[in-house]
């Protein structure tokens, strides 16, 4: 997501082999991709991004150092098949929205700027935040706010949205949110944070794509290869943790029953819950919520 967030630790976690095949599933501005490439001699680097702005910026940095794919990382398997690649030495996922996306007023990701409701990572797709806010049913909007961001004032926010339709700009959406918040909670930080997160996740099918992409990575990573994920909020982190636990955490055994339990665990944990240090957070405040999780394939069981 953000260049330099735990960069060294992340690259180290990939345990890069000089002649290996690596997938950077979230290219962004090539911060991780460039560091991966530096450690390859005859290896291959494949990088994905849905954002054409990110791809154009990265091409200037990487040149022909990587195979850059304009697609969702949900389609990793199709791409590997088209390249006749069966197994990969490492996958890196740096989840969420990149700093340039947040900082670009025209993209509509941030409640800091008054801009058109958009929030599309892939600017070629038709569904944007405008359609979600103005065309989804009241019940569906409430569900999105609750499930994707644990927004406790979801019902009030959605009532205000319905009453104000059409809601066309980020500031109009912020006003609907602000009206639903009790005064005491308005002093605890920007009230739009959770709603903007939830709508963005719906627009970009973030959880569905993560689930599909991690299933592909787990299936296609070599023995000794690693799957490395950086998350930035609790909803996506919970999903990643649950997926990794299924393949890397052995079932609990009752110590009073002396019968060995057969386990088909095929991965081991390298980092269960690694967070940035104080210095990294001071240098980049957006790193404060980052969590690094890493698993390594031990055998071909699963």
């Amino acid at each position: 997501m953000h260049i330099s967030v735990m960069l060294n630790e992340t690259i180290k976690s990939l345990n890069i082999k000089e002649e290996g095949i690596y997938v950077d599933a979230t290219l962004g501005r090539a911060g991780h991709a460039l560091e991966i490439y530096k450690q390859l001699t005859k290896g291959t680097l494949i990088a994905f991004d849905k954002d054409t702005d990110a791809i154009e910026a990265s091409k200037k940095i990487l040149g022909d150092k990587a195979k850059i794919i304009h697609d969702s990382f949900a389609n990793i398997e199709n791409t590997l098949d088209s390249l006749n690649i069966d197994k990969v030495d490492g996958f890196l996922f740096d989840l969420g929205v990149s700093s340039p996306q947040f900082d670009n007023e025209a993209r509509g990701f941030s409640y800091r700027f008054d801009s058109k409701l958009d929030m599309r990572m892939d600017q070629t797709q038709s569904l944007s935040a405008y359609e979600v806010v103005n065309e989804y049913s009241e019940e569906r909007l409430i569900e999105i706010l609750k499930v994707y961001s644990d927004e406790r004032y979801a019902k009030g926010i959605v009532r205000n949205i319905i009453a104000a339709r059409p809601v066309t700009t980020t500031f109009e959406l912020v006003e609907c949110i602000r009206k639903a918040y009790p005064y005491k909670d308005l002093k605890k930080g920007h009230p739009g944070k959770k709603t903007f997160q939830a709508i963005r996740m719906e627009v970009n099918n973030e959880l569905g794509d993560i689930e599909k992409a991690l299933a592909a990575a787990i299936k296609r990573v070599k023995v000794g290869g690693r799957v490395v994920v950086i998350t930035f909020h609790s909803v996506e982190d919970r999903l990643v943790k649950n997926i990794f636990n299924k393949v890397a955490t052995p079932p609990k055994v009752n110590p009073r029953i002396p019968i060995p339990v057969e386990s088909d665990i095929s991965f081991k944990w390298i980092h269960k819950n690694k967070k940035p240090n104080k210095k990294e957070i001071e240098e980049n405040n957006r790193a404060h919520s980052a969590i690094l999780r890493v698993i390594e394939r031990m055998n071909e069981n699963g």
Side-chain angles (χ1 to χ4, degrees), residues 57-275:
S58 293
K59 280 179 178 174
K60 292 172 185 170
I61 297 165
L62 290 172
D64 59 359
K65 295 178 175 70
K67 298 181 193 298
I68 298 177
I69 314 293
H70 175 226
D71 200 352
S72 164
F73 56 51
N75 298 319
I76 280 173
E77 277 215 273
N78 293 341
T79 300
L80 292 177
D81 289 342
S82 71
L83 296 169
N84 292 316
I85 293 170
D86 182 35
K87 296 287 185 178
V88 171
D89 291 278
F91 290 87
L92 170 62
F93 295 84
D94 188 7
L95 300 176
V97 181
S98 69
S99 299
Q101 286 171 329
F102 266 130
D103 295 339
N104 183 341
E105 293 186 34
R107 300 294 294 274
F109 281 105
S110 177
Y111 43 72
R112 292 180 293 134
F113 309 117
D114 190 15
S115 52
K116 270 195 334 184
L117 279 175
D118 192 336
M119 303 193 198
R120 292 172 299 167
M121 291 181 188
D122 180 355
Q123 291 137 300
T124 64
Q125 78 175 40
S126 56
L127 182 69
S128 75
Y130 179 87
E131 283 77 34
V132 173
V133 169
N134 290 292
E135 296 174 11
Y136 276 32
S137 70
E138 184 173 1
E139 294 75 20
R140 180 74 180 116
L141 277 176
I142 291 169
E143 182 185 20
I144 288 167
L145 265 57
K146 284 183 173 178
V147 172
Y148 289 169
S149 65
D150 302 318
E151 174 53 77
R152 64 188 298 194
Y153 302 117
K155 286 184 178 177
I157 292 166
V158 172
R159 263 200 308 272
N160 292 340
I161 288 171
I162 303 288
R165 281 175 170 173
V167 179
T168 59
T169 70
T170 51
F171 277 12
E172 286 174 15
L173 179 57
V174 167
E175 189 54 31
C176 294
I177 299 163
R178 200 182 293 279
K179 282 180 185 172
Y181 262 63
Y183 179 71
K184 63 180 172 58
D185 285 352
L186 287 172
K187 295 184 282 188
K188 295 177 183 175
H190 199 289
K193 185 175 181 181
K194 289 187 172 184
T195 297
F196 272 66
Q197 172 186 301
I199 292 170
R200 185 202 83 217
M201 289 177 75
E202 172 66 16
V203 168
N204 298 291
N205 189 33
E206 290 180 39
L207 293 187
D209 282 3
I210 291 167
E211 202 163 356
K212 189 175 177 187
L214 287 184
I218 285 165
K219 180 180 168 186
R220 303 295 281 258
V221 72
K222 291 179 183 177
V223 172
R226 293 181 177 181
V227 183
V228 176
V229 183
I230 306 170
T231 63
F232 286 86
H233 62 75
S234 60
V235 181
E236 67 186 12
D237 186 62
R238 202 179 306 137
L239 176 63
V240 173
K241 183 174 73 172
N242 290 341
I243 290 170
F244 279 6
N245 270 333
K246 281 179 186 171
V247 296
T249 302
K252 287 182 180 173
V253 179
N254 187 335
R256 291 174 295 183
I257 303 173
I259 301 170
V261 175
E262 285 293 318
S263 172
D264 59 355
I265 292 300
S266 48
F267 286 80
K268 66 179 178 181
W269 282 99
I270 302 299
H271 290 308
K272 269 194 171 181
N273 185 17
K274 192 164 186 65
K275 297 179 180 176

Side-chain angles (χ1 to χ4, degrees), residues 11-29:
I11 299 302
K12 196 167 87 179
S13 296
L14 274 170
N15 198 24
I16 294 169
K17 300 177 179 69
E18 292 181 349
E19 298 184 4
I21 300 170
Y22 293 88
V23 171
D24 181 350
T26 44
L27 176 61
R29 262 46 179 189

